[in-house]
Amino acid sequence: MNAFEPAIAAGRIDASLMEVNAALAQIRDVVGEAGWLAAPGDIEPYLTESRGLYRGATRLVVRPASTDEVSRVVALCAAAGLKVIPQGGNTGLCGAAVPPGDSPNIVLSLSRMRRVRAIDPENFTLTVEAGCVLADIQAIAEQHDRLFPLSLGAQGSCQIGGNLSTNAGGVQVLRYGNARELTLGVEVVLPDGRVMNSLRLLRKDNTGYDLKHLFIGAEGTLGIITAATLKLYPKPVSHSTAIFALPSLDAVIELLSLARTMTADLLTAFEFIPRFGVEIAARHVEGVRDPLDAPSPWYVLLEMSTSARDASLDAVMEGVFAAALEADSVTDGVIATTEQQRQAFWKIREGVVEAQKGEGASLKYDVSVPVTSVPSFVKAAIEACRQISANVRPLAFGHVGDGNVHFNLTAPIGDDGTFIATAAAFEDAVFDLVASMNGSISAEHGIGLTKKRALACYKSAVELDVMRKIKSVLDPQMLFNPDKVLMSPESGAAKAGAAISERVRHAAA
Ligand code: ZN
């Protein structure tokens, strides 16, 4: 009996047992022993995701070694009606790479596709296969005196195919843009098995629809990205990094504007952190210390970089500091004088993420609003959440230079479980506010499973209709990553209530 027999018997696969058996045998021939994982112990790591919020089921993981193998596997799956769940480093935060628990599927891992196909330092381009780990790509660029600027917490294990499929952001978007803006071309295997090669080394290409953008950020629902041509930049040779203390959120935006104006747009990062964030990072993360003598309501981590050999960035930073003091935008600050100090500043920012676990349950909203609306958004969101629970501990931090706020809530001290039970009310309050300010309910993490119900509520009916039409044209059998991103129209969209179970699972991590 093959692993899919019960599903065939129950009519959940639109193919006969003989057809599925034949397809599986052929898939095994295509990927060989090295690409075929069917033992429960081997499959286990592919069933859950990084936060442990979702657990799926599959009977088979295939690991093709080339685009040709991906193409042949997908064509065989399409013929037999088998669903395909593409998976990269499996570090996503929205459950997009988890196989469904209730429908027969094959997980297609890109992890064996790790070749660097071409590097052209003079053209500032690098072409890599989807399974290349982000940190390895950064290292390859560096060996050629170049920078690949995509940088995020999971870079040691996330894969570029997943970064593109989720249009990853991170800490340098302000200067270089997100994954979408760093991509010149993609190679994609379509749900019928055909290969679409758009790996062009061009900055200018006005030949009709820019198809690569359909697949970037589509979370594997429209095609499997198997390779990409990426943009490289001159490697920075000097940095200047500072932490400033600020009296208010309005001052944060004033400092951002001042710094952009005064630094010839050399800013690479502009991250804001509230006092509560610094406190918990110092409490729970080893090596994190208060950066300044006196506590301050808000902090900004500001970094500039340049590839110019003789630039004195610290002098520029001192100029920003002086002007901001003069304007009362900052009350104190410190500029890193050593690489060790620079690392210590970044450790505070990274520690904020890590430290939340130590404070009990939390709810997390990755949202964006126009940069100038960040202060009013954060103030109103804190107010709205305190109306729901007076002692909730808000933690708003993140990439303020991009208008991207990680608006998180930590349970009140001594919480009896009410906090998580109220999750739906918090989410509605935060997302309603985001929507009223023309913001986005998912700034950089994507939709996956976590936010698909919310997407159905907050994206316009016309946009949702266009998305569904694109999906149905490219994947008429609904084989690729089913039930991710888009909900089926018949399940409708209900704001409160419908999403509660997902929110609670989200909150449990
Ligand atoms: Zn982030």
Side-chain angles (χ1 to χ4, degrees):
M1 181 175 110
N2 83 47
F4 294 93
E5 202 167 326
I8 296 165
R12 287 188 290 143
I13 294 182
D14 199 16
S16 71
L17 180 57
M18 229 164 66
E19 286 167 326
V20 172
N21 274 336
L24 291 174
Q26 290 175 67
I27 289 170
R28 193 172 182 143
D29 283 346
V30 170
V31 297
E33 279 307 307
W36 179 274
L37 302 179
D42 294 337
I43 286 176
E44 180 62 30
Y46 299 85
L47 303 181
T48 54
E49 37 71 76
S50 59
R51 292 190 188 180
L53 307 179
Y54 301 102
R55 186 180 168 81
T58 193
R59 304 293 167 85
L60 180 61
V61 176
V62 293
R63 300 170 67 224
S66 66
T67 302
D68 179 58
E69 287 187 16
V70 175
S71 160
R72 285 154 66 200
V73 167
V74 168
L76 289 163
C77 288
L82 291 169
K83 300 196 187 310
V84 178
I85 317 302
Q87 200 176 102
N90 200 14
T91 59
L93 298 172
C94 294
V98 181
D102 55 358
S103 74
N105 66 79
I106 287 176
V107 170
L108 193 152
S109 163
L110 282 304
S111 56
R112 284 176 73 214
M113 292 188 57
R114 295 193 168 202
R115 275 183 294 266
V116 175
R117 294 211 190 147
I119 179 155
D120 185 346
E122 277 73 49
N123 199 42
F124 289 81
T125 52
L126 172 64
T127 301
V128 291
E129 292 186 343
C132 288
V133 170
L134 177 55
D136 295 340
I137 294 174
Q138 293 166 345
I140 292 160
E142 197 166 338
Q143 284 157 21
H144 290 82
D145 200 29
R146 296 289 178 260
L147 170 76
F148 181 61
L150 189 65
S151 174
L152 44 98
Q155 63 197 24
S157 50
C158 62
Q159 297 169 13
I160 194 68
N163 294 144
L164 265 55
S165 294
T166 55
N167 185 26
V171 290
Q172 301 199 85
V173 174
L174 178 64
R175 172 86 162 271
Y176 299 102
N178 47 31
R180 187 183 295 286
E181 288 156 287
L182 298 172
T183 307
L184 291 174
V186 290
E187 176 190 81
V188 177
V189 173
L190 299 173
D192 60 8
R194 283 182 299 163
V195 179
M196 190 188 85
N197 186 336
S198 310
L199 292 172
R200 298 196 177 86
L201 308 176
L202 307 174
R203 258 110 183 144
K204 290 191 166 182
D205 177 16
N206 269 352
T207 50
Y209 305 151
D210 198 339
L211 297 175
K212 66 176 176 286
H213 287 307
L214 269 182
F215 300 94
I216 300 171
E219 302 183 30
T221 60
L222 301 179
I224 299 174
I225 296 177
T226 46
T229 298
L230 307 169
K231 281 186 204 171
L232 300 179
Y233 288 81
K235 188 173 97 179
V237 293
S238 62
H239 292 88
S240 181
T241 310
I243 284 194
F244 293 113
L246 298 94
S248 68
L249 268 169
D250 292 304
V252 171
I253 303 304
E254 284 162 27
L255 178 64
L256 173 64
S257 173
L258 185 80
R260 289 198 71 173
T261 312
M262 289 185 65
T263 63
D265 247 341
L266 293 175
L267 282 187
T268 41
F270 192 96
E271 301 282 313
F272 79 127
I273 310 168
R275 178 67 202 161
F276 177 54
V278 172
E279 275 171 10
I280 63 170
R283 194 178 305 149
H284 298 288
V285 183
E286 208 177 301
V288 171
R289 265 176 296 281
D290 227 320
L292 299 163
D293 295 337
S296 166
W298 295 96
Y299 298 85
V300 162
L301 170 60
L302 194 159
E303 186 162 279
M304 288 186 272
S305 64
T306 179
S307 62
R309 305 281 145 173
D310 53 357
S312 174
L313 285 186
D314 283 343
V316 178
M317 187 71 93
E318 279 159 22
V320 171
F321 193 4
L325 275 172
E326 175 82 27
D328 291 328
S329 302
V330 310
T331 54
D332 197 3
V334 54
I335 301 171
T337 52
T338 62
E339 177 59 23
Q340 203 179 10
Q341 206 177 4
R342 177 180 168 231
Q343 300 289 347
F345 290 175
W346 275 105
K347 196 159 184 173
I348 300 172
R349 166 63 182 85
E350 283 146 17
V352 175
V353 181
E354 203 184 320
Q356 287 169 89
K357 286 192 257 0
E359 291 290 317
S362 59
L363 294 161
K364 303 181 178 186
Y365 308 105
D366 159 46
V367 300
S368 67
V369 292
V371 170
T372 41
S373 302
V374 168
S376 46
F377 165 72
V378 172
K379 281 178 231 168
I382 289 174
E383 178 59 33
C385 292
R386 287 209 168 119
Q387 298 257 319
I388 296 164
S389 164
N391 295 321
V392 70
R393 294 179 291 164
L395 176 59
F397 67 98
H399 326 293
V400 65
D402 315 317
N404 181 184
V405 180
H406 292 306
F407 187 84
N408 296 357
L409 298 169
T410 299
I413 293 166
D415 173 58
D416 57 0
T418 315
F419 173 68
I420 291 299
T422 327
F426 286 123
E427 182 177 296
D428 287 350
V430 174
F431 285 174
D432 283 352
L433 199 57
V434 167
S436 75
M437 295 179 147
N438 286 319
S440 167
I441 59 157
S442 184
E444 64 174 358
H445 295 170
I447 300 297
L449 291 169
T450 313
K451 285 186 173 172
K452 64 176 182 168
R453 288 177 193 276
L455 187 81
C457 297
Y458 292 98
K459 198 111 177 161
S460 74
V462 176
E463 286 168 303
L464 287 168
D465 182 52
V466 172
M467 285 172 74
R468 283 198 192 97
K469 288 204 165 105
I470 291 170
K471 169 74 175 169
S472 67
V473 167
L474 285 171
D475 186 11
Q477 293 175 272
M478 300 289 167
L479 294 179
F480 270 19
N481 220 4
D483 298 318
K484 308 285 171 56
V485 184
L486 283 168
M487 297 182 53
S488 54
E490 51 283 6
S491 49
K495 195 183 289 182
I500 289 176
S501 62
E502 286 183 359
R503 290 172 180 136
V504 171
R505 280 198 281 179
H506 187 177

